[in-house]
Amino acid sequence: MSSTPSTVERAFQAALYDDTDTALDTGASLLAADPAAAAELDRRGQEFLAAAWRRGWQPADLVRLVRRDLEDTHVRLLAALIRAQAPHDRTRGRRWSAQLEELPTGPAPRTGDRFSHATAVLELYRLLLRLPTLEPLQEASGQPRSDSRMLTRIRALLAKAEATGFPEEAEALTAKAQELMARHSVDEALLDAAAPAPDTPGARRIGVEPPYEQAKAVLLDAVAGANHCRAVWNEPFCFSTVVGFEADLEVVELLYTSLLVQAGTAMTKAEAAQRAGGRRRTKTFRQSFLAAYAHRVGSRLAAAAETPVSADLLPVLASREVAVTAATDRLFPRTTTTRLRGVTDEAGWTEGAEAAERAQVHSRPHLP
């Protein structure tokens, strides 16, 4: 005994497996003509989400990809779909919960008439259906155990550094934040060494989005390396996976985000000065600026990482470095290197290197 395919099934058969606009229009027309199909359409969307989670995707990953490849309407449709699916999902940890809280707010949008809405939904489902499998991430075990007020102070310092219009003040604030970050990491390492069941490394994905994504990936790699983490860039999907212990992952994301803001501010000022001098700045200038910024910050962080530490701390840090390296190798047994492209503007490189000098970042405190 055979059954008649539902409206949603017929729409999917028409639109999801054929990339043409004609197929999309056919599927959307079927859905628009049958308002009663809305509940099944939502249910099937939640099934696509569950499949994405099984393939290793996380809410922030999907939002980032949909924002890049589709429109804001699709982002809001996705956010509403994720929220609707969440009560039926298993518990997945603090980072997952934080991503759910950061989703765009508001009800699912209605894009004009039923045909336009159905078109947007099918476009979103096309993307979800074709997601590849990503490396499954695990959260670091345990929680940061040192004083949470430290992270509050770090965030406040970086926020001030981003907001001030005075380079010298930004430098001083960033330097102080770096000092606190390093102390936070050391405190966590010592607490972990004394714990009955030491923590294990985890991983999180951090967006590395166009434009100038290569330079941004280099910057994130430098920040991660200086803070006892490892970063692996996924260029097609605009993120890097950073592997490390929870406290270190937290400060890597904080610092990387702040340095991007500060680099953008410095680049804007550099471009204004170049225009005032009668020189027209281009995309090549900006690419060269950020590449030099990332390169110079990386060099300074690497040098700071060689700062001598106390003898009792060396075995602790060494064991954590080994654990992070092993975790990275398990997640990414095969990686390749890439070269920066489009770095040809001498003025942009010079300005970027000078801006990096002013950032005054340090990865570890001077310990006895």
Side-chain angles (χ1 to χ4, degrees), residues 92-138:
R92 294 179 180 269
R94 296 187 306 276
R95 286 288 299 166
W96 192 283
S97 298
Q99 291 179 39
L100 295 180
E101 291 176 1
E102 292 167 3
L103 290 170
T105 58
R110 299 298 304 186
T111 53
D113 57 87
R114 286 202 298 267
F115 177 82
S116 297
H117 179 75
T119 299
V121 171
L122 289 174
E123 288 171 333
L124 174 62
Y125 288 5
R126 271 182 173 180
L127 183 149
L128 295 177
L129 180 65
R130 298 169 191 184
L131 293 173
T133 298
L134 298 178
E135 300 79 12
L137 301 187
Q138 288 187 337

Side-chain angles (χ1 to χ4, degrees), residues 24-287:
L24 185 66
D25 290 347
T26 299
S29 296
L30 288 167
L31 294 173
D34 185 3
E40 183 184 353
L41 188 63
D42 289 344
R43 179 180 61 79
R44 294 295 296 273
Q46 293 182 36
E47 291 176 357
F48 287 141
L49 278 184
W53 306 153
R54 291 193 296 271
R55 294 191 197 111
W57 290 78
Q58 298 190 354
D61 303 326
L62 290 185
V63 169
R64 186 165 48 244
L65 182 64
V66 171
R67 182 175 288 122
R68 185 194 70 177
D69 289 354
L70 298 174
E71 304 292 338
D72 181 64
T73 293
H74 302 90
V75 174
R76 292 186 290 129
L77 283 170
L78 174 65
L81 190 63
I82 293 174
R83 285 199 181 89
Q85 191 266 344
H88 309 291
D89 199 12
R90 62 180 176 84
T91 302
R92 294 179 180 269
R94 296 187 306 276
R95 286 288 299 166
W96 192 283
S97 298
Q99 291 179 39
L100 295 180
E101 291 176 1
E102 292 167 3
L103 290 170
T105 58
R110 299 298 304 186
T111 53
D113 57 87
R114 286 202 298 267
F115 177 82
S116 297
H117 179 75
T119 299
V121 171
L122 289 174
E123 288 171 333
L124 174 62
Y125 288 5
R126 271 182 173 180
L127 183 149
L128 295 177
L129 180 65
R130 298 169 191 184
L131 293 173
T133 298
L134 298 178
E135 300 79 12
L137 301 187
Q138 288 187 337
E139 288 198 19
S141 64
Q143 301 185 36
R145 290 159 296 188
S146 58
D147 193 344
S148 62
R149 289 175 297 181
M150 180 79 81
L151 287 177
T152 301
R153 291 176 63 195
I154 290 170
R155 290 189 182 96
L157 286 167
L158 292 176
K160 289 179 181 179
E162 295 161 17
T164 182
F166 301 97
E168 294 80 5
E169 183 182 7
E171 294 163 16
L173 291 166
T174 302
K176 181 60 177 176
Q178 287 300 307
E179 178 184 343
L180 294 180
M181 285 177 179
R183 173 53 62 186
H184 182 64
S185 179
V186 169
D187 289 347
E188 287 290 325
L190 292 172
L191 285 170
D192 180 48
D199 293 347
T200 57
R204 66 173 67 178
R205 297 188 185 111
I206 297 177
V208 181
E209 302 178 52
Y212 321 118
E213 59 271 26
Q214 276 196 318
K216 294 175 183 177
V218 170
L219 178 61
L220 178 54
D221 182 72
V223 173
N227 288 280
H228 321 298
C229 296
R230 296 276 299 277
V232 178
W233 182 36
N234 185 317
E235 183 175 7
F237 294 112
C238 304
F239 63 76
S240 284
T241 302
V242 183
V243 183
F245 288 85
E246 184 62 29
D248 297 328
L249 292 172
E250 185 75 17
V251 298
V252 165
E253 189 163 13
L254 282 172
L255 177 57
Y256 170 68
T257 302
S258 180
L259 286 175
L260 277 185
V261 172
Q262 294 185 54
T265 300
M267 184 168 64
T268 299
K269 292 181 178 179
E271 287 187 300
Q274 292 288 318
R275 286 194 298 271
R279 292 181 292 274
R280 181 175 176 269
R281 293 299 98 200
T282 64
K283 179 179 179 180
T284 304
F285 173 87
R286 294 186 286 272
Q287 171 76 6

